[in-house]
Amino acid sequence: MEPSHLTRRLKDLEDNIKQILALLKKYEDALHYEDDPRRQVKYNREIEQLRESANRYQQEYDQLHQQITGESTVQMHSVAIQLEEVNNRLDRLSAGQKAIYANINNLRQGLLAHYEAGEKNIISAITYQLNESQMTTISALLDAIEANKVSDAEMQNILPTIQEGLSILQQRGITLTGSQEEIVQVINAPQIDFKHRLKVAVPLIPFILDYEGELELGTGINLKQGLKQFMVRFIGE
């Protein structure tokens, strides 16, 4: 193969590696501030694709290393350093995400421990859409309910607030989670203990609060404000 062709291949390889480094920096910054589980999963899939690209570029480098000698060895050394940086960044991102996932999984298991076996499936589907902060908040609310820190009057007030919020969203054709219908059946069942119905309803609060539109009754009562006040009452934030 002609030396000029090898040099061109090396230059293309170097440019591709620089693009990966730029993308990794972008993902590092994005993941540092991102708390939406769905976006985190998307970023991680894209990072794994970058790892596959990095593996291909390493193979390309190894092939060129066997063929290029002389003046180009300086550039080869530069490319080798960049490849090493790519691999180090990928490893750091992977280790960081594993630690985050382990913490989220612990939070998820702690939250699910509040529920009976038959309900864990529908609640579990919701937890996969909650971030760390939301799961911590919901767990605190569940702890308060189970410790009888929520009075009967408060329960009688907050459950209808959640029901009203869901009803308004349903009228607008908005589905919050894949388990919403099953949860609505439980929280609307009069034969089920009121306290238990509230526990099942509580994980939906973040979804209602995240809805960008206004949720008001005909009386002008702001349902989202009522839910926020309830959360502040028991978690102090």
Side-chain angles (χ1 to χ4, degrees):
M1 186 176 296
E2 293 295 327
S4 59
H5 190 183
L6 291 174
T7 302
R8 188 164 58 251
R9 280 180 59 189
L10 183 59
K11 180 64 169 62
D12 290 342
L13 177 60
E14 187 174 26
D15 290 342
N16 288 334
I17 295 171
K18 287 179 179 178
Q19 289 178 14
I20 282 190
L21 286 171
L23 286 171
L24 284 173
K25 178 63 168 63
K26 168 189 164 185
Y27 291 135
E28 285 171 346
D29 293 341
L31 285 168
H32 182 73
Y33 297 103
E34 185 58 70
D35 62 1
D36 186 321
R38 289 160 293 191
R39 290 198 188 97
Q40 287 176 331
V41 169
K42 177 177 179 293
Y43 286 141
N44 283 320
R45 282 200 300 264
E46 292 172 355
I47 289 169
E48 284 307 306
Q49 290 174 356
L50 288 183
R51 186 182 290 278
E52 293 175 3
S53 296
N55 289 337
R56 290 197 301 272
Y57 296 152
Q58 181 66 59
Q59 293 174 0
E60 173 81 355
Y61 172 83
D62 292 341
Q63 292 173 1
L64 288 172
H65 189 268
Q66 295 176 2
Q67 302 173 61
I68 293 180
T69 57
E71 295 181 359
S72 295
T73 55
V74 174
Q75 190 176 10
M76 287 293 290
H77 182 65
S78 174
V79 171
I81 291 175
Q82 290 174 331
L83 274 171
E84 184 177 5
E85 183 178 356
V86 166
N87 289 322
N88 288 338
R89 285 194 175 190
L90 284 167
D91 289 342
R92 285 199 301 270
L93 277 171
S94 178
Q97 289 308 106
K98 285 179 181 178
I100 290 173
Y101 286 148
N103 183 50
I104 289 177
N105 187 58
N106 288 335
L107 289 173
R108 182 177 293 116
Q109 295 307 316
L111 193 157
L112 291 176
H114 290 279
Y115 297 95
E116 299 174 359
E119 293 169 344
K120 286 186 177 181
N121 286 337
I122 60 174
I123 301 299
S124 178
I126 295 175
T127 64
Y128 280 99
Q129 300 180 62
L130 297 174
N131 60 40
E132 290 182 76
S133 176
Q134 290 169 333
M135 279 195 281
T136 299
T137 298
I138 295 304
S139 291
L141 292 175
L142 292 170
D143 286 340
I145 293 170
E146 292 182 346
N148 296 318
K149 294 180 180 179
V150 183
S151 68
D152 289 343
E154 287 171 320
M155 287 194 290
Q156 293 286 346
N157 178 59
I158 200 63
L159 180 59
T161 301
I162 298 173
Q163 291 170 314
E164 289 287 355
L166 289 173
S167 177
I168 292 173
L169 292 177
Q170 285 178 321
Q171 291 170 17
R172 298 179 184 179
I174 298 168
T175 300
L176 302 182
T177 79
S179 301
Q180 180 174 323
E181 185 176 342
E182 295 172 278
I183 291 178
V184 169
Q185 290 177 356
V186 174
I187 66 178
N188 288 341
Q191 71 274 18
I192 297 178
D193 176 77
F194 202 90
K195 180 177 180 179
H196 188 74
R197 289 161 62 190
L198 178 59
K199 284 176 55 179
V200 173
V202 159
L204 288 177
I205 292 179
F207 298 95
I208 298 174
L209 293 179
D210 283 346
Y211 175 64
E212 295 180 355
E214 291 297 317
L215 293 178
E216 292 187 351
L217 295 175
T219 57
I221 297 175
N222 190 310
L223 299 177
K224 292 170 75 172
Q225 188 59 38
L227 292 175
K228 287 180 181 178
Q229 290 175 351
F230 173 69
M231 294 172 71
V232 169
R233 161 77 171 80
F234 295 101
I235 64 175
E237 59 182 55

